[in-house]
Amino acid sequence: MTTGTTRQLRIEDEPLLRGKGRYTGDVHEPRQVAAAFLRAPMASATIRRLDTVAAQRAPGVLAVLTAADMTGTGSLAHPLPVPGRGGSKLAAPRWPALAEGRVFHAGQPVAMVVAETPVQAQDATELIDVDYDEIPAVVDARRASEPGAPQIWPEAPGNVALDFTWPLDKDGSNAAEVAKIIASAPLVARLSVSNQRLAVASMEPRVATGWYDAKTGEYTLRTGTQSVWLMASQMAELLGVKPEQMRVLTEDVGGAFGMKTGAYPEYVAILVAAKRIGRPVGWTSTRAEAFLSDNQARDQVMDAELALDKEGKFLALRVKSVADMGAFANGAGPLTATINMVRCFPSVYRIPRVVCDVLCVLTNTVQLGPYRGAGRPEANYLMERLVEEAARVSGIDAVTLRRRNLVTPAELPYKGAMGTVYDSGDFPAIFDKALELADLKGFPVRKQQSAARGRLRGIGVSCFLEHSGALPPEGAALSFPGDGTVVVGLGAQSTGQGHLTVFRKVASEKLGIDPTKVMVREGDTRLGVEGHGSFASRSAAAAGSAIFFTADAVIEKGKKVAAQMLEAAEADIAYRNGAFEIAGTDRRLSLFEVANKARELKAKGEIAETLDTNKVSQTPQHFPNGCHIAEVEIDPETGALDVVAYSGADDSGRILNTMIVEGQVHGGVAQGLGQALLENALYDESGQLLAGSFMDYALPRATDMPSKLTDALLEFPCKTNPIGVKGAGEAGTTGALAAIMNAVADAIPGGAGRALQMPATAQKIWQACRAVRNGGRA
C-alpha cells in the first residue's frame, strides 16, 4: 500500500481556487466578433430552401455562412481504423461543418451568423428561413439494423457502419470452438445488459476562438482540448493546409473526459469565417447546444453467455453487442465500442476461450465518442453482472466463484484469450483488500439492522481490469533557457489531472534537481512537441516515459560537453544528483553549467547541438485493475436509494502522487454512480432529445455520493514503462457501475433486482419492490 511520502498538494490549484484560472472564454482577442449557429430542429430532413437575406441585413451582422461557404473543407468523419469481419471496412459517411442539403440529427449546425456581439449573432439566426422536408428517423441501434428500417446513408447498408469480431478469426475456428464449449457445458450463465446513452456535461462548455493571419497564412484556434497537437493535425487536414499553418492554443480546461479530444464542426466554421472577414471569431456553446452537439457516450446493448463446469471453473465467454454510433462516425467512436471494449475481456479471470462480436450502427442522433472509460466500463459492467448470474446458476457463492477463477501472480505475465498480456499485478490481493475494507463479514448484521427499520440492504462486488498506454506515441521536450531552470514541453494537456505537479516530479527525480527548477509548459503547438493527448489514462505513463527518455538523451549529450569542460574522457563522466562528475573524484559541474556551456559551444559552431532535446517515445500497454464494493440501502415504499458505503482497492502501479490518484478514483466513482442511478440521454422516436437540459438530465450531486468512501492504493509497478505507472483516471467509473448495480440486485429479493437496467432510478426501484410484494405483478 502507498505511504504518505507521495502525498503532496497540487501546485496548480491555488490560482484556480482564487479565481485566477485562464480558460478560453477569459481571453478576448482585439477586434473579436461573435458567432452563433442555426441548428436543425429535427433529426432527419432534406433542406428544400435556405434563405439568409434577412439575417444578412440584421444589425451588427458581418457574415452569414452556409455549406456553400465551406467548399474545400474536409469531412470530420475521420475515424481511427478498426478492422471489420472478413476484411470489411468501416463506413464513415461525410460529416460536413455545415449541413449539405440534408440534416441527420437534431442540433446539427445548418448555418452560422457572425456579428459584432453574441446577442446580435443569436438574434440574426432566428431570421434565417429554412424549409425542411422531414424524413422518417431511426434512433434505436437495434431497430436501425432490422429489415425495413429507414436507410440513413447509402454507404452503410442496413445502417451498419462496421461488423466487428475479435479475436480476428479468419476461418471461424475460435467462434466455433466457443459455441461448442457453450453447447456442451454443464452450466451456462446468460445475461443481457444495456449501457444507456450519456451526455458528458463538462463544467466548462466548448468554447473556441479562431483567427487567420493573411501575411503568414497561419490559422490559430484557441479552444479547450485534450491535445493541441492532435487538434492541430485534424484542423489542418480539414482546412486543407500544411500542419505548420495551424496553431492551437489551450490553457485551463474545465473538464473534458474524452469529449474535448477531437475537432468539431463549429471549429471549422469559425476559422473559415475568420479568414473571410479578417477578424477573430469567437463562439461559446450554450448548455442547450452542448446537449445537442457535444459527443455523447456509451449506448450499447450487450448479450453474453459464460460457460462453467460443475466446480465453477470458467470455460468460455461469448459476447454480442450492438453499439450506436450516432449520425456520424466520430474519430474514436467505433474504436471505443470495439477494440477498447474487447481488450478488457476476460478481465481478471482465467477464461480460455472468448469471442466478442460488435455491430456498430448509425442512427439519427448525436455522434458517439469516448467518455471516461471509453469501452472499459461497458466491458467490465457486463463481466461482473455476468459473474453474479453465474453464481446464481451454479449455486456457488459469488465471492468464492470469483476467487476460484482469478488469474494469480504466479501466472504472470499472462496472455489472455483476446491476445493481451498482463505484465504485473496481484488480482487476489486486490480482491482480498477490497473485501476487508468493505467488512463483508459484518454485512449480515447490517442487513438485519436495515430490515428492522423497514429498509432493504444490498452489497455488490465489482472486479475490473482495463488497459491504458500503448498507441499512439507521445513526445516531450527539455530545454534550458539559461536562467537555472529546465522547461519541460509537452503535447499532453491537463484537463484537471495535475500535470504541473506530476511531471515536475518526474523530471526533477530523473534529473536529480530541485523541483522548483522545473517549469512545465503545454497547450501550444509552437512548443513543437508531438503529443497525442491526455485520454485513456495514458498521460502519466506516456508523457512521463517521454520525459524519462528525453532526460536520458540530455544526460548523454551533457556527458560529451562535461568531458570537454573537465578535460576528461567521456567514459569517465558520470551523472549523479543533478551534476556531471569525474567518477571517483570531487570534480563536478552542475547540469545547468553544462547546459550553458553547450549553448556557447553551439553558437561558436564547435558542437552540433545544445542540451535542448525533443524526443517521441511509445510505451506498451499496461493494465490498471481493482475491486470496488458498494453497499446500498433502499426504502421499498419510495424507491429511494442511498449508497451508504463504498470501498475499493486499486492497482495503478507506482503512485506518483497519492492525493491526485485518490481524487481521480473518487471523481470516477461519482461519474459511475451517475450512470448507474441517474443519467439518461433519451430520445423520442422522431429523434428529439428528451433530456436536453439539467431539468431533465440528472447529474449526481454531493448528496448522492456515499458518506463513507474508502480506497486503498496497492502498488504493483508496471513492467512495460520505465516509471512503473499504470493509469488511474478510468478506475472509479469502470468499477462503480457493476458494484452499485450488483448491490441493487442483491438488495431487492427475487429476480426483480437482477432485471433492472441502468439507470436504476427511484421509480424503477419502487416498481421492482412493488412487483416483489405483489408476487411478480408490477
Side-chain angles (χ1 to χ4, degrees), residues 30 32 40 161 247 303 385 443 565 588 708 733 739 773:
Q32 180 175 320
R247 183 186 185 190
D303 301 314
R385 295 298 307 273
F443 175 72
M565 294 173 69
R588 308 178 77 244
K708 181 183 178 184
T733 310
R773 288 197 304 269

Side-chain angles (χ1 to χ4, degrees), residues 367-392:
Q367 68 281 350
L368 275 288
Y371 170 65
R372 198 167 195 168
R376 301 161 183 83
E378 294 92 317
N380 284 281
Y381 175 62
L382 173 67
M383 194 72 237
E384 288 303 297
R385 295 298 307 273
L386 188 59
V387 170
E388 290 290 323
E389 179 63 13
R392 187 188 69 82

Side-chain angles (χ1 to χ4, degrees), residues 115-297:
E116 294 288 351
T117 70
V119 172
Q120 289 174 331
Q122 187 61 50
D123 286 348
T125 63
E126 298 177 11
L127 300 176
I128 299 174
D129 185 17
V130 187
D131 183 11
Y132 295 101
D133 185 9
E134 191 167 6
I135 300 170
V138 59
V139 299
D140 180 89
R142 281 195 167 182
R143 292 182 182 176
S145 58
E146 292 177 352
Q151 179 71 38
I152 302 174
W153 294 100
E155 300 96 317
N159 296 317
V160 174
L162 179 71
D163 182 5
F164 173 87
T165 187
W166 200 266
L168 290 176
D169 188 13
K170 293 183 179 179
D171 61 1
S173 59
N174 181 65
E177 181 64 21
V178 169
K180 180 180 177 181
I181 293 171
I182 292 173
S184 61
L187 300 167
V188 179
R190 293 180 171 87
L191 186 71
S192 293
V193 299
S194 64
N195 269 264
Q196 77 275 30
R197 183 180 287 242
L198 302 180
V200 177
S202 57
M203 186 176 294
E204 178 201 24
R206 287 192 295 120
V207 184
T209 303
W211 60 96
Y212 176 76
D213 188 330
K215 295 180 180 179
T216 64
E218 181 183 66
Y219 289 95
T220 301
L221 177 69
R222 183 191 300 275
T223 190
T225 180
Q226 295 166 240
S227 169
V228 291
W229 187 88
L230 185 62
M231 179 68 75
S233 299
Q234 291 180 355
M235 293 301 300
E237 184 174 344
L238 286 163
L239 293 167
V241 299
K242 297 177 181 178
E244 56 268 25
Q245 292 176 276
M246 186 71 238
R247 183 186 185 190
V248 175
L249 298 168
T250 294
E251 295 179 67
D252 290 320
V253 181
F257 311 114
M259 183 268 289
K260 293 179 181 175
T261 303
Y264 279 88
E266 296 88 354
Y267 304 164
V268 177
I270 66 170
L271 286 173
V272 170
K275 180 178 181 180
R276 177 170 170 173
I277 67 174
R279 295 173 65 177
V281 178
W283 168 73
T284 299
S285 171
T286 65
R287 188 59 67 183
E289 283 183 292
F291 276 102
L292 292 170
S293 62
D294 292 353
N295 295 342
Q296 296 178 349

